[in-house]
Amino acid sequence: MINKEKMCIQSRQLIAADTIEMVLKNRRVSQAASPGQFLHISVPGHTLRRPISIADVDKDAGTTTILFKINGSGTERLAAYTEEMHLDILGPSGNGFPTATASMEDHTILLIGGGIGIPPLHYLGRTLAEQGKKVIAVLGFQSKSHVFYEKKFQQFAETFIVTDDGSYGNSGLVTDLLDDVTPFDRYYTCGPMPMLQAVTSKLAHKDGYLSLEERMGCGIGACFACVIPEAGTSGYRKICKDGPVFQAEEVVL
Ligand code: FES
């Protein structure tokens, strides 16, 4: 079943360079969404909807928060929307991160995010911390002006910031820090493909899950615009329907 909903923009702000945060008032998604799921948003003048991960939900207030980077005509158009305007949205879509398994009790979790891959890890980390897990976050950005949500992550996680140019936090790549963090039981990661490749290869021996950011077509499993090779077979997985979250060894990056 395709769930469609009109959502009213309750707030919209530029929170870092080229990065917009929108809080969307809605009835259903805020009650049903789990960490790692995404919204598929219609943008006037564009045939394809834009998949945007859920950065947070507030069930009591009935709101869902999204963050996106302005990186093309579609997101530019979306960024021009202002408070009180409505967005046409499908979702919550896809399969999110596994969270509430009994075997994970007392676990230490490492979140590794890069750029606009960080928002889904925020909702995930907050959820895991509420379940009593210790959460560590390593978050990578281009530069100081791109950093967002540092304080929000600090509320539930031991947080490390890395910038490519060293203008804030540690200098370098998120993978440079992975040897120095507290031992952890499982990792979750989301970010650009080169980062995911580096993270999964460095942590090949660990239990891990990744979320794939991908330009999508239908967003509901009906086309093949978003496929990724499945490990150990000659088949493919659909990111929009089978993912966007996969076990690290399940797909070939
Ligand atoms: Fe159509 Fe995934 S976007 S199958």
Side-chain angles (χ1 to χ4, degrees), residues 239-252:
I239 292 172
C240 68
K241 190 162 180 276
D242 303 321
V245 174
F246 296 95
Q247 207 157 7
E249 66 265 27
E250 203 180 335
V251 287
V252 181

Side-chain angles (χ1 to χ4, degrees), residues 5 7 24-35 37 39 54 56-65 91-92 123:
E5 192 170 358
M7 295 190 186
L24 307 171
K25 188 87 182 150
N26 61 84
R27 279 176 289 109
R28 195 176 37 76
V29 169
S30 55
Q31 309 306 312
S34 56
Q37 288 191 296
L39 301 182
I54 295 170
D56 208 1
V57 299
D58 185 331
K59 284 190 180 175
D60 296 336
T63 58
T64 303
T65 302
Y123 181 24

Side-chain angles (χ1 to χ4, degrees), residues 10 15 17 21-22 33-35 41 52 71 82 115 120 146 186 189 193 196 213 218-219 229 232 239 241:
Q10 182 171 289
I15 59 164
E21 178 194 70
M22 278 183 182
S34 56
I41 304 179
I52 298 183
N71 57 7
T82 53
H146 293 89
R186 174 183 284 186
T189 185
M193 185 57 85
L196 294 180
E213 300 179 308
C218 66
I239 292 172
K241 190 162 180 276

